Amino acid sequence: MRHRLRGIAPSCVLLLAASVLPATAFADPVAAPDAAPPAAPITAAPTQPADAMAAPVTAVPAAQPAPPASPAPEQAATPAPTKPQLGALVRAALDTLPKTATEAERQDALALKDFYLARNDAPLWIADGSLNDRAVLVIAEIKKANDWGLDASAFALPDVGGTLTEESAADAERKLSVAALTYARHARGGRITEPAKQLSSYLDRTPQLLDPKAVLADLAGSTPPDATLRGFHPKHPQFEKLRQKYLELLKSASTADAIVRLPKGPALSPGQTHPHVALLRQRLKVPAPAGTAEQPSDEAFYDDALATAVKAFQTEKGLAPDGIVGAGSRAALNDIDVPNPDRVRANMELWRWMPEDLGATHVWVNIPEFMFEFVRDGKVVHEERVITGLIDKQTPVFSAVMDTVTIHPRWNVPDSIKVRELYPSLARGGTYFQKQGLRMTRNGKPVDPYYVDWGSADIRQFDVHQPPGAANVLGQFKFTFHNKHIVYMHDTPTKHLFNQATRAYSHGCIRVRNPARFAEVVLEFDKGWTPDQVASLVNADPVENPIVLEKKIPVHTAYFTQWVNDAGELVSFKDVYGHEQRVILALEGRFNAIARGPDHLAPVTYAKSQYAGGGNPLETFFNNVFGGF
């Protein structure tokens, strides 16, 4: 170019320059207000005549050159548009959630948009075009989600490492923020959002979810974010004990011993030889007898050592220790609680639904264990056996607050029992109403049920109760913690059922063995009463005596089939209501396979036609099997 310009006139050069430079470079400069005025024009002198040559000539002063004008200031360059912070791109992406997004995901998106807006769209996980140290810690922790009973594959994580484009950086920022919020939700039980609707109406608990705004504030705080994520899991000591057992079972699953069960077959007796005897040896871990020259070792031979082991097993299971392995002993031998990580994980999930603070003083009822504890100032001061609800009349899983201890309570018959059990007996002329000393009133006035036309009357319009006394189904004590299930703890006249290993016999309420001692520890805690003061009220006339507590006591009815005891051993209880299996299926995403059962809180329906004519009288209403509510 330089070579070609050599022969071009200067004016041409200017024109060429104008053609290649921006138009703004050639815009008319804006005159500065203090610029010097232009120089005055030079005036030519008039022509003098010839005869005037002698005349003095007055010189016309030459015009002074004007001082150079001050250069016009350069026009400021138009600023380049500011790039939006990554948070703005994240917010824009969150505005287009898929239609399949859950309500929790929508709430997370709203929280994230507010979060980035409040920090002027500054990113949390990106620095200098790549994932920062905080992001690396969070990604590593989320990848270990399986160690906490969660599913690591449920979290969409960005790739670690490398320089990111603006678009990929915004995508990584969004993914990691969403994954962290999802992790926090799952850590608090959010994989099963409504247990009462999705699993069973008897599971009246909800996940202990955290506000996503609070989660984001914690993640952006000074604590390392991986530690923050771990802190979202339940802090109950039993949760961590179960988690350690869960990890042990995951590691040992490949080396676990095969489960040996006995098939159906004849009774096995000492001195007998049968192929099933070899299986019996494996089940009880008894080696084959030593062989001799006359009698070689035979693992199918039922010898004395095996008989001793069988008798010990029978004694432990409450069977007659006769050494004969019949159908009952075979069933007991095959009833094996196998340590299973899926069962432990399901129980870990149940802890995610428990209140974070159980209360320094509280009542704890574990339904599958059929036991309860009174915990005072963090220590168990009383524990005892309980009876819980039948399979079709379950004790619900919930928390409430005990506010009353009643001595000599009266029993108010609920509508469900009036309709389903009491009305059929009355409609058929049964006499159990009178035998059990029940009373009926309507609008406060006594009614004789045997003069009521039950073909047209609605028993729900009548109040039925059993007054205090020795035959009262609630016994001498009632412990009330008001709840929508109308469930409470109480005494019972049917004491012998406490000797059973499985104690699911009630209509949903919790029957307590040794309720007097329970009343003593509660009233000593609340009022400082002595056992003698409680006994004096019990020994008084059987008049209902409600004692209102000044210190309200949390009551937690729980459902844990797996428990780590003080010796560090994993103890298993039967899944009496099937809740453990429901949680296992839900965690596998198999909600359609869950048997939810009827809604026990649905209004009681009343159809007289179903009780018309025939049928066996329901005179087991107050028998020893039910014996209380």
Side-chain angles (χ1 to χ4, degrees):
M1 190 70 180
R2 186 180 306 163
H3 158 89
R4 294 176 132 188
L5 289 176
R6 284 179 184 170
I8 300 178
S11 59
C12 294
V13 174
L14 290 174
L15 290 172
L16 181 60
S19 68
V20 297
L21 292 176
T24 54
F26 293 93
D28 291 336
V30 179
D34 57 350
I42 300 175
T43 305
T47 304
Q48 299 293 330
D51 59 355
M53 294 300 291
V57 178
T58 304
V60 178
Q64 298 296 319
S70 300
E74 295 182 5
Q75 184 175 355
T78 303
T82 303
K83 288 184 179 181
Q85 287 272 46
L86 287 180
L89 301 178
V90 172
R91 289 191 290 113
L94 291 169
D95 283 333
T96 56
L97 289 178
K99 293 182 179 179
T100 57
T102 65
E103 180 59 27
E105 290 168 341
R106 296 184 187 280
Q107 293 301 318
D108 285 354
L110 290 174
L112 276 172
K113 289 194 286 187
D114 289 345
F115 172 75
Y116 283 109
L117 195 61
R119 55 191 284 121
N120 296 320
D121 287 327
L124 179 60
W125 312 112
I126 305 293
D128 299 326
S130 61
L131 295 170
N132 59 23
D133 292 342
R134 299 176 65 84
V136 173
L137 289 173
V138 166
I139 290 172
E141 188 63 36
I142 292 178
K143 286 183 176 180
K144 294 187 289 187
N146 290 349
D147 292 349
W148 293 86
L150 303 182
D151 181 4
S153 67
F155 311 104
L157 297 172
D159 295 331
V160 180
T163 302
L164 304 171
T165 65
E166 183 179 69
E167 181 180 355
S168 61
D171 186 59
E173 177 79 17
R174 178 189 60 81
K175 279 185 176 179
L176 194 48
S177 291
V178 170
L181 283 179
T182 305
Y183 185 100
R185 190 168 67 252
H186 288 193
R188 307 290 291 192
R191 288 181 288 180
I192 306 171
T193 54
E194 297 181 285
K197 292 182 179 179
Q198 296 170 287
L199 307 185
S200 168
S201 64
Y202 290 107
L203 283 171
D204 186 13
R205 293 203 184 279
T206 54
Q208 302 294 294
L209 300 181
L210 300 171
D211 185 340
K213 292 182 180 179
V215 171
L216 290 167
D218 287 346
L219 289 170
S222 59
T223 304
D226 55 336
T228 300
L229 285 179
R230 291 192 293 271
F232 293 142
H233 293 282
K235 297 178 177 63
H236 303 289
Q238 187 62 211
F239 175 84
E240 179 59 22
K241 290 180 179 180
L242 284 172
R243 189 176 83 87
Q244 293 302 323
K245 288 295 179 184
Y246 176 69
L247 294 174
E248 289 178 18
L249 290 173
L250 288 179
K251 291 178 181 178
S252 62
S254 59
T255 60
D257 293 337
I259 303 303
V260 178
R261 288 185 168 87
L262 276 67
K264 293 182 179 179
L268 305 177
S269 304
Q272 182 180 0
T273 299
H274 192 277
H276 290 180
V277 173
L279 295 175
L280 181 61
R281 289 186 181 280
Q282 294 179 46
R283 172 67 179 84
L284 297 178
K285 294 182 172 58
V286 178
T292 63
E294 296 79 15
Q295 181 69 40
S297 177
D298 184 0
E299 64 178 6
F301 176 68
Y302 194 155
D303 65 340
D304 292 341
L306 181 58
T308 300
V310 168
K311 291 176 182 178
F313 174 84
Q314 291 171 328
T315 300
E316 178 186 349
K317 297 298 181 180
L319 302 171
D322 55 11
I324 299 173
V325 181
S329 292
R330 280 179 184 264
L333 287 161
N334 290 337
D335 185 14
I336 306 170
D337 277 325
V338 182
N340 185 334
D342 290 342
R343 298 188 65 191
V344 177
R345 184 177 65 154
N347 280 263
M348 291 170 61
E349 195 71 14
L350 290 166
W351 276 109
R352 303 184 199 277
W353 307 344
M354 293 298 298
E356 188 168 352
D357 182 7
L358 300 177
T361 297
H362 64 269
V363 175
W364 176 267
V365 181
N366 189 21
I367 296 169
E369 189 180 5
F370 301 107
M371 293 289 294
F372 93 96
E373 298 174 344
F374 182 68
V375 178
R376 178 172 178 177
D377 298 328
K379 296 181 180 179
V380 178
V381 298
H382 177 64
E383 59 182 342
E384 194 46 276
R385 296 183 181 186
V386 296
I387 291 170
T388 62
L390 292 152
I391 304 302
D392 61 339
K393 300 178 180 66
Q394 299 174 18
T395 298
V397 180
F398 69 105
S399 293
V401 177
M402 183 186 298
D403 55 15
T404 308
V405 176
T406 302
I407 298 177
H408 297 305
R410 84 176 207 170
W411 177 48
N412 299 304
V413 183
D415 279 350
S416 60
I417 294 176
K418 285 191 290 186
V419 169
R420 295 168 186 160
E421 303 187 46
L422 185 54
Y423 167 72
S425 177
L426 288 172
R428 295 184 177 106
T431 59
Y432 261 54
F433 189 96
Q434 184 178 19
K435 290 179 180 178
Q436 298 301 326
L438 294 176
R439 310 268 179 89
M440 180 176 287
T441 61
R442 187 171 187 181
N443 299 325
K445 297 181 180 179
V447 173
D448 187 335
Y450 296 104
Y451 286 91
V452 174
D453 178 8
W454 293 114
S456 59
D458 185 344
I459 197 170
R460 293 173 299 179
Q461 304 302 317
F462 297 81
D463 295 316
V464 180
H465 74 275
Q466 187 183 36
N472 188 283
V473 296
L474 304 185
Q476 295 179 318
F477 297 92
K478 177 183 176 183
F479 306 86
T480 305
F481 35 100
H482 292 90
N483 57 85
K484 63 185 178 183
H485 308 281
I486 318 178
V487 163
Y488 40 85
M489 302 174 75
H490 64 86
D491 184 15
T492 176
T494 55
K495 309 291 188 183
H496 68 283
L497 293 176
F498 288 108
N499 296 326
Q500 302 296 319
T502 299
R503 297 186 287 275
Y505 295 118
S506 81
H507 276 63
C509 285
I510 303 162
R511 307 184 210 168
V512 180
R513 187 170 77 167
N514 196 0
R517 180 57 187 156
F518 185 27
E520 289 170 2
V521 296
V522 169
L523 294 174
E524 193 279 328
F525 163 75
D526 183 67
K527 303 187 181 303
W529 288 3
T530 65
D532 288 342
Q533 287 175 289
V534 176
S536 65
L537 296 176
V538 174
N539 295 330
D541 292 337
V543 177
E544 188 172 46
N545 184 6
I547 303 165
V548 177
L549 302 180
E550 297 176 11
K551 302 173 185 176
K552 311 308 180 188
I553 302 173
V555 177
H556 308 287
T557 66
Y559 193 92
F560 291 102
T561 58
Q562 304 284 292
W563 194 269
V564 180
N565 62 20
D566 293 339
E569 301 167 333
L570 182 64
V571 181
S572 298
F573 307 109
K574 290 187 180 299
D575 186 15
V576 287
Y577 295 157
H579 294 329
E580 176 196 89
Q581 184 61 24
R582 292 184 177 92
V583 175
I584 289 174
L585 291 171
L587 294 181
E588 294 174 351
R590 299 169 58 194
F591 286 92
N592 291 337
I594 296 172
R596 289 188 291 273
D599 181 3
H600 77 287
L601 292 174
V604 179
T605 57
Y606 187 55
K608 298 183 181 65
S609 59
Q610 64 182 308
Y611 304 118
N616 294 324
L618 297 182
E619 294 192 349
T620 58
F621 182 47
F622 286 96
N623 65 15
N624 287 340
V625 174
F626 297 107
F629 299 87

